[in-house]
Each structure stands twice: as structure tokens, then as C-alpha cells.
Amino acid sequence: MGEGSVKKLADIRRSAMAAVAATMLLAGCATRDTGAADVWDPLEGPNRFIFAINQTVDMIAIRPVSVLYREVVPKPAQRSVHNAVQNLGEPVTALNDAVQGDGNQAMTSMARFLVNTTLGVAGLFDVATSFGLKKSDNDAGQTIGYYAGVQPENGGFYLMLPLIGPSNARDAVGLVADSAVDPFGIAIYSLASSSAYWIYAGTRYGTTVIDTRVRTMTALDDLQRNSVDYYAALRSAYTQRRAEQIRQRRDRTSPQAELERRDNLALVR
Amino acid sequence: MLARRRNMLHLAAGAAAVVVAPRLAAADLDPAAQLIQRTAGQVIELIKTKTGAARESGILQVLEADFDLSYMGRSALGVHWNQATPEQRERFLKAAASAEAHAYAERFGQYGGQTLTLGRVTSRGGSSFVESKLNQSDGEPISITWEVRNEGQGPRIVDVKIEGVSMVMTRRSDFNSYIQNHGGKVESLIGELESRAKR
């Protein structure tokens, strides 16, 4: 056998392997494998290291404080804290609604902010929801995902952020963008001082952490108890959850989803 | 004038009835939606009437009857299923089913008077997807999608998606990563699941 035919054989083998790989990919699609089982995680080593630190901080501080908060603080007060934190995020939500071309929801989010800040006493009471003004829960990570022409499961490389938790390239950029356009942060920074800004940011972050931890406790405990590799299970669940949010944003503008929504409306009427 | 308006109303009501009725009937008859309704009903009844070990064993019975635990196990193992020997597959399915049953018994046990409203049923790739909302007394309703398949034993639940997070997909990622971090051997995962079942 000459050198040429060996090379040809190797070529054939290589293309055969490529074909097998392509078939496997297609087969993966056919079994509606959305890719969430294999999240792109090139920084897995460092990510797991930060995850271990986060877990420790959670175990010795965040979780016990959250449990105490959940058990000691009266439920209506907890609800008001949640409402107030959410209300502070409403202008940025409205901005993201608008950038995604959802003018209606942008107006609704802004109206929510105005109603809850005034009638709802600085956001402590969510009066807007009882007026039928629907909450949007939008953020810049979703805006990037909305415009990125990729599957919403693909948010770039996975990233475990210190003290914040699961994220990815897309959502981390989103976080930075959202905090950069936060009108309260900008106002405090320019009208008062940078130390006032850090007090504001720190308080808001701390409150959000405890409020979120209480709300996710059941789900996270379940995930941790029933997984053999909690890091991987959380990575998958986070990716799927974010993808679902982005998919809902995209479905809003797809004609088929519009038809289905009309069907549902017809049912209600 | 008035009579005419009333006629119009009748006409409108009639049209609405025609539009709504076949849809509702279809939803009532859909075997997938029926299965979810029956399962939810049974679980709620169990939680209301039984406690402790009796409740857990009751929930286990419902799970074994209405969930396709072996299908769930197979899809959770993903590509590693093909590498496993028949003996390993059997042991894996047994351990995974017991872990899954325990997890669901625990989840259902947290039930606190919520109601389940069934929504649209869609079909895709041989599965029916039953959308539903779990209405909570405080806070937003949680959206749950049930995937139902008929693998020859009548319709069974093969996956539950909570707010877009598929339990089977999460499990697959979990198992896959565990196997990769333990020398790529299915045996390590089976051993871990078996030792957890004993605990």
C-alpha cells in the first residue's frame, strides 16, 4: 500500500466519523435534545471552585439568615420587601421591554412603577397587579437572547459568579448592562456621593439575595437532595429556565404563537 | 329593535357554544389530559386522607401506575444507555426508579391546598404535552407541562417541566456529569444510586 492510499483511507475514515457525528447531532435534535444536558462550560474547573465557595458562604451565612427571615418576619412584611425590591427594578424592566420592541409591555411596566411608587407607598404594596397591570420580569440577558440568532439554550460559556450564582456570558453582560442603566444608581451616584451609591447598591443586593433565597429554597433543596452532581444539575436547570424565558419573549412575535394565543382567548371568551 | 338585539345575542351565544363545546369535549376526551387530571386527583386525595408511611406508599403506587419510570430512566441515562450491559441496565432502572419515586413522593408531600388548572394539549414527536397551572394561595401560578407517551401500556407520564425546567433533562445532565467525573463508567453511577436507595 502506498502512502497516498493510506492517506485516502484516513480521509475516508475521517469523513465517515464526521458523518456519524452529524447523524448523532441530528438524532439528538430528533429526541428534542435542546442542548441543556450538555451546557458549554469551558471554565468548569474555576466555576466549580467558585461554586464551592458560594456553597460554603450559603451554608454558613445566606441560608441560615434566609431561614430566620422566613420564620421570624411576618409574611405581609416579607411580601412588602419583595414588592419594594421588584419595584426598584421596574424602570430597567420597562427599558428592556421597549428595546425588545414590546411597547405595550414597556408602558405597562412604567405604569406599574408609577402606580406602585405612589399608591403602593414607595413600592411596598403591589397595587398595580390588582389593576390588571401585568408584571414583565424582563432583563438585559433576555434582551441579548431575544436578538441573538441562536437557540436560547446557547448563552455562551457557562459562568459561576461569586456571591451571585449561576450565569453565562450572555446573562453576565446583561447584569452589567442592567446595573449601568439603573436610574436610581445613576441619580444617587451623581447627586450624592460614590459611598452613598455603594450603600444603596449593597443594601439592594443584600435584600435581593435574602428575598430570592427564600423564594428558591424549596426548589434548590429539592435539586440538591435529588442529584448526584448538584453543580451539573443546577447548570442544566438554570440554562433551561433562562431559555424558557427567552423563548417566551420570542414567541410573542412569532405568528404561530400569536394564533395560539388567539385560540386561547377565544376559549376564555 | 329589542327583539332583534336579543336574537343577535342568542346567535352570538349559540356561536360561542359551538366554538367552545367541541374544544372542551376534545379536552375532556384527550387521554393525556385525562391521565393528568386523574393523577392529580389521586395525589390530592392521598395527601388529604393519609399521612406518614401510608401516604408515601400510596404515592408510590400512583407513580408506578401513571409514570413510565423505566422510560424516564432510559432517557436520563442518554448515550450511556448503549454502553451499559443488560445486567447494568436492569440495576440502573431499579435504582433510578426508586430514587425518582422518592423524589416525587417528597415533592407531592409539600402540597398545601394548591389547585391544578389544565390548559392546552399539543402533540409533538409521539408525545402529548399537557400544559397546566399550579395556582398558589400566595404568589404567581407555577406553569407545569406534563409529557405523556404511550409505549404500549396506555398513556404514561414521562417528563414533568416546571417553569420550563425538564426533570428528565436535568437528571440527564446530572448523571452524565457524574459519569464523566468518575472515569466514564456507568457502574460508578449505578453504585451511587444503589447506595442512596439504601439510605
Side-chain angles (χ1 to χ4, degrees), chain B residues 26-38 118-119 121 128 130 148:
Chain B
D28 272 342
L29 289 176
D30 191 289
Q34 261 182 358
L35 171 69
I36 305 306
Q37 197 140 39
R38 199 185 65 219
L118 294 191
V121 182
S128 298
V130 183
V148 176

Side-chain angles (χ1 to χ4, degrees), chain A residues 184-206:
Chain A
F184 308 108
I186 293 170
I188 292 169
Y189 193 85
S190 46
L191 296 179
S193 61
S194 70
S195 57
Y197 171 78
W198 288 113
I199 292 169
Y200 154 78
T203 314
R204 186 173 164 188
Y205 165 78

Side-chain angles (χ1 to χ4, degrees), chain B residues 106-129:
Chain B
E106 214 171 55
R107 274 171 211 142
F108 290 148
Q110 283 156 359
Y111 176 81
Q114 299 94 331
T115 56
L116 193 74
T117 319
L118 294 191
R120 222 151 31 102
V121 182
T122 49
S123 308
R124 204 168 57 241
S127 290
S128 298
F129 295 84

Side-chain angles (χ1 to χ4, degrees), chain B residues 131-163:
Chain B
E131 291 176 12
S132 69
K133 292 259 178 227
L134 187 70
N135 308 298
Q136 309 191 92
S137 52
D138 55 341
E140 288 275 288
I142 297 171
S143 85
I144 303 180
T145 306
W146 311 78
E147 183 179 349
V148 176
R149 266 185 102 85
N150 192 342
E151 297 277 292
Q153 310 157 299
R156 299 272 191 97
I157 300 164
V158 294
D159 195 9
V160 183
K161 259 189 187 176
I162 302 170
E163 293 282 340

Side-chain angles (χ1 to χ4, degrees), chain A:
Chain A
M1 230 194 270
E3 207 178 309
S5 59
V6 171
K7 203 166 170 224
K8 200 173 277 172
L9 208 70
D11 275 346
I12 289 169
R13 193 178 294 158
R14 201 171 301 142
S15 51
M17 268 165 71
V20 168
T23 319
M24 275 167 72
L25 269 174
L26 281 176
C29 294
T31 55
R32 76 220 138 62
D33 193 338
T34 51
D38 290 298
V39 180
W40 186 37
D41 191 3
L43 302 174
E44 183 164 346
N47 277 342
R48 276 190 191 266
F49 178 69
I50 291 169
F51 182 63
I53 297 175
N54 283 353
Q55 284 283 92
T56 313
V57 174
D58 182 63
M59 193 180 69
I60 61 173
I62 297 172
R63 196 176 190 282
V65 170
S66 302
V67 170
L68 198 69
Y69 173 83
R70 189 186 62 183
E71 301 304 323
V72 171
V73 177
K75 279 275 171 310
Q78 288 185 33
R79 210 168 303 137
S80 279
V81 167
H82 174 73
N83 289 339
V85 172
Q86 294 292 307
N87 191 49
L88 283 178
E90 217 70 79
V92 175
T93 300
L95 183 64
N96 280 300
D97 291 333
V99 175
Q100 287 170 29
D102 194 349
N104 253 335
Q105 185 58 53
M107 300 283 265
T108 307
S109 295
M110 216 46 224
R112 281 182 58 84
F113 176 70
L114 295 175
V115 168
N116 282 343
T117 305
T118 53
L119 293 177
V121 197
L124 290 176
F125 302 95
D126 184 4
V127 193
T129 298
S130 57
F131 287 179
L133 297 169
K134 219 176 140 264
K135 202 167 178 320
S136 162
D137 271 328
N138 214 335
D139 58 73
Q142 291 181 52
T143 302
I144 300 169
Y146 180 81
Y147 285 109
V150 292
Q151 286 286 313
E153 276 80 7
N154 178 358
F157 54 88
Y158 185 70
L159 204 54
M160 182 58 69
L161 297 174
L163 299 176
I164 291 176
S167 189
N168 52 38
R170 176 193 67 209
D171 295 338
V173 170
L175 272 183
V176 174
D178 277 342
S179 64
V181 297
D182 172 35
F184 308 108
I186 293 170
I188 292 169
Y189 193 85
S190 46
L191 296 179
S193 61
S194 70
S195 57
Y197 171 78
W198 288 113
I199 292 169
Y200 154 78
T203 314
R204 186 173 164 188
Y205 165 78
T207 317
T208 310
V209 165
I210 300 299
D211 177 51
T212 312
R213 191 68 185 89
V214 168
R215 281 162 186 274
T216 52
M217 197 161 303
T218 319
L220 288 182
D221 284 353
D222 183 323
L223 198 63
Q224 181 164 20
R225 241 192 337 263
N226 294 310
S227 57
V228 284
D229 185 343
Y230 181 36
Y231 172 86
L234 184 62
R235 183 175 62 190
S236 172
Y238 175 80
T239 307
Q240 292 181 61
R241 175 80 196 106
R242 292 294 287 172
E244 173 72 12
Q245 287 178 316
I246 292 164
R247 200 159 268 138
Q248 276 173 12
R249 301 282 168 204
R250 289 186 183 176
D251 280 354
R252 184 180 55 78
T253 43
S254 90
Q256 200 197 335
E258 179 55 32
L259 280 175
E260 280 171 0
R261 195 159 47 242
R262 280 189 202 154
D263 274 3
N264 289 347
L265 274 177
L267 257 178
V268 174
R269 280 168 192 159

